[in-house]
Amino acid sequence: MNISSYLPEENPFYYPISPIKMVKGKGLRIYDEQGKEYLDCISGTFNLILGYNHPEVLEAAKQQMDDLMFASSTFNSIPVDALAHALVAISPANLTKAHLRSPGGSIANEGAIRIAQHITGKRDVITLFRSHIGQTFAMASVSGFSTHRTPFPNTFPGGVQVPSPYCSRCFYKQKPSDCDLLCVTRIDDFIQYASTGSVACILVEPILAVGGNIIPPPGYFEALKTFCEQRGILLIFDECQTGFGRCGEMFAADYFGVSPHIMTIAKGISGIGLPIGAILTEERLTGLDKLFHGFTNGGWLPAAAAALKTIEILQRPGFLANVRQVGQQLLNGLQALSAKFPFVGEARGAGLMIGVEVVTLENQPDNATALALHKALLEQGLIVRISEHGRGNVVEMRPALIATEQDIHEILERFEAACQAIQLPSFPVPLMR
Ligand SMILES: Cc1ncc(COP(=O)(O)O)c(C=O)c1O
């Protein structure tokens, strides 16, 4: 079949799309039609934690496709059964039940909220400023970004947003050393004055990802969990980006040493990008009838088989230690660049989940320069994302967890070259100061 004969002359896409057409990928690298190689520092859409087309995971998925491509979730199956056991085994000890009927992260989050509402009999959902927890109608309604609601005249009620633990730009203008964690204790004011008074859950990304790689300070999650338990509120961790080794531990819950009552996972779970999502809960939170949260492609068998192989690889000796080591190498390198280039601000990270602020000379967010840097990085063949869906000032970097020292070295070299390029007067997007 000659595909080009089907290509219409006009752009058929509803939305604008990049002129770069990708054709092939391997490991951390992806190649366009012209054969240009890009080093992907965001692992696809933060989901290819084992890089492009990891051969062992691909093989596991292909084998499952040969054996059985699909079975209704009315029935159990070999990969889904094994995956439920494996997820319970690797997640924090209190999470003993796996719900595997969601095809992705937004829907897993909606399921977690439904479970919380069903169990508590309460309704509102608290989320953090700057949290991105999905794009479905319900998730946009409770998003930490008002921009996700702007074009729609109507959204679901019941979402309350509270300040995030963003210490270097604290909402309450405090210093972490003596702030008394107002970002936890003042949630009471929001419950009293901004909610219906009936709060089912607090849903947080343990590290705010799209919001700018914001890492809560020590003690935050302990305090937040206690706050929830004293008020009969369930604490949900959205580990769609942080989970599956991204922070150098299996989950951010392990990194912070605090386990939530419910955890959602998606994105990285299948290693190479096959869609699947999961909800892990405590035993006492079971009971939501399965008819209330089930989707045709939830628990898709080839994705479950891929996820099992991914878990096996993550558990190999030294795998997560390497994530911590190369993550530190990347962080150190970016911090060194911050000393060289005035617009490169704070670099922060956990494992291979790293963000770099782009700032003015007064250390204020410099979104225009962040976009200029994004463009310069792409010219260097380095794929990154800018926070807040391209509206923010933080360069987000999440290379695949299989990155080697040499890969990180190359990423840093290209990053530095891009920084040098945007300082030149010839660079097409001027620095905004
Ligand atoms: C932290 C987080 N949660 C949930 C989602 C939504 O996942 P999905 O796109 O699979 O619905 C995303 C997607 O970007 C995310 O970053």
Side-chain angles (χ1 to χ4, degrees):
M1 182 178 71
N2 179 6
I3 298 177
S4 60
S5 65
Y6 291 92
L7 293 179
E9 308 253 311
E10 300 283 316
N11 174 9
F13 286 93
Y14 181 83
Y15 39 79
I17 193 156
S18 163
I20 301 171
K21 214 177 259 178
M22 298 302 190
V23 291
K24 211 173 165 53
K26 188 165 184 246
L28 270 71
R29 288 160 173 81
I30 182 165
Y31 303 85
D32 71 14
E33 268 185 321
Q34 274 73 44
K36 177 169 174 176
E37 175 226 64
Y38 299 82
L39 244 172
D40 185 352
C41 288
I42 49 167
S43 305
T45 307
F46 312 128
N47 56 338
L48 310 178
I49 58 166
L50 296 178
Y52 288 93
N53 293 21
H54 189 285
E56 289 178 78
V57 183
L58 203 55
E59 187 48 40
K62 281 183 183 166
Q63 183 62 55
Q64 183 58 47
M65 286 181 187
D66 285 345
D67 293 347
L68 184 64
M69 184 82 164
F70 186 89
S72 155
S73 61
T74 306
F75 303 104
N76 201 351
S77 66
I78 291 170
V80 173
D81 189 61
L83 181 59
H85 282 90
L87 287 175
V88 168
I90 62 170
S91 55
N94 62 319
L95 303 178
T96 54
K97 293 291 173 188
H99 187 295
L100 277 168
R101 305 183 83 214
S102 306
S106 311
I107 291 175
N109 281 341
E110 290 199 11
I113 292 170
R114 283 174 157 154
I115 290 171
Q117 290 178 330
H118 174 73
I119 296 291
T120 61
K122 298 194 272 181
R123 50 164 291 183
D124 288 352
V125 179
I126 293 181
T127 58
L128 300 178
F129 288 3
R130 297 186 172 83
S131 69
H132 171 72
I133 45 188
Q135 298 272 20
T136 54
F137 214 58
M139 288 304 95
S141 300
V142 298
S143 164
F145 292 104
S146 61
T147 44
H148 287 202
R149 290 183 282 278
T150 308
F152 310 111
N154 201 6
T155 56
F156 292 115
V160 177
Q161 285 73 53
V162 302
S164 35
Y166 190 1
C167 294
S168 50
R169 303 193 186 281
C170 175
F171 177 85
Y172 294 106
K173 310 271 183 268
Q174 300 291 304
K175 295 267 169 297
S177 47
D178 58 356
C179 68
D180 289 335
L181 287 172
L182 293 182
C183 51
V184 175
T185 55
R186 297 293 297 269
I187 295 175
D188 265 333
D189 293 333
F190 287 83
I191 293 176
Q192 187 173 354
Y193 299 111
S195 80
T196 63
S198 168
V199 178
C201 57
I202 299 185
L203 168 57
V204 295
E205 296 166 83
I207 293 177
L208 286 111
V210 172
N213 223 78
I214 298 165
I215 306 177
Y220 174 79
F221 284 115
E222 286 85 348
L224 190 63
K225 190 170 180 187
T226 304
F227 179 95
C228 286
E229 290 184 340
Q230 287 170 345
R231 290 157 184 77
I233 295 171
L234 293 173
L235 178 62
I236 304 173
F237 277 6
D238 170 344
E239 293 243 18
C240 293
Q241 284 208 37
T242 52
F244 269 63
R246 175 55 67 195
C247 302
E249 303 286 344
M250 193 58 86
F251 294 104
D254 305 312
Y255 179 85
F256 289 106
V258 175
S259 48
H261 306 113
I262 305 178
M263 184 163 89
T264 58
I265 36 181
K267 287 204 185 278
I269 178 168
S270 70
I272 56 168
L274 303 187
I276 186 164
I279 309 166
L280 278 296
T281 78
E282 295 184 344
E283 180 95 32
R284 69 184 169 107
L285 305 182
T286 51
L288 181 73
D289 192 285
K290 69 177 186 175
L291 75 86
F292 289 117
H293 198 74
F295 298 85
T296 304
N297 293 315
W300 186 44
L301 273 55
L308 272 172
K309 180 53 82 177
T310 299
I311 292 172
E312 184 205 310
I313 293 171
L314 294 185
Q315 288 184 313
R316 286 181 186 161
F319 188 93
L320 291 178
N322 181 63
V323 174
R324 294 191 287 272
Q325 191 183 318
V326 294
Q328 194 59 52
Q329 181 193 348
L330 180 55
L331 191 58
N332 292 345
L334 292 167
Q335 283 166 348
L337 292 182
S338 164
K340 265 193 184 170
F341 299 96
F343 53 88
V344 180
E346 181 182 70
R348 49 184 178 248
L352 274 170
M353 182 157 185
I354 290 175
V356 195
E357 293 227 5
V358 179
V359 292
T360 62
L361 292 175
E362 295 75 37
N363 196 31
Q364 290 307 303
D366 188 345
N367 304 12
T369 303
L371 282 179
L373 183 57
H374 185 213
K375 185 172 159 43
L377 287 165
L378 195 63
E379 280 172 11
Q380 292 296 328
L382 214 58
I383 303 176
V384 301
R385 282 242 185 131
I386 301 300
S387 58
E388 302 181 25
H389 299 281
R391 293 185 175 90
N393 76 310
V394 179
V395 179
E396 295 169 354
M397 301 179 79
R398 328 237 187 283
L401 308 184
I402 54 169
T404 61
E405 258 181 56
Q406 181 51 38
D407 292 326
I408 301 295
H409 182 71
E410 210 174 316
I411 289 170
L412 286 167
E413 271 186 349
R414 295 191 195 189
F415 201 104
E416 179 159 5
C419 289
Q420 267 155 0
I422 65 167
Q423 296 216 119
L424 298 176
S426 58
F427 193 77
V429 183
L431 282 179
M432 307 284 277
R433 285 278 141 72

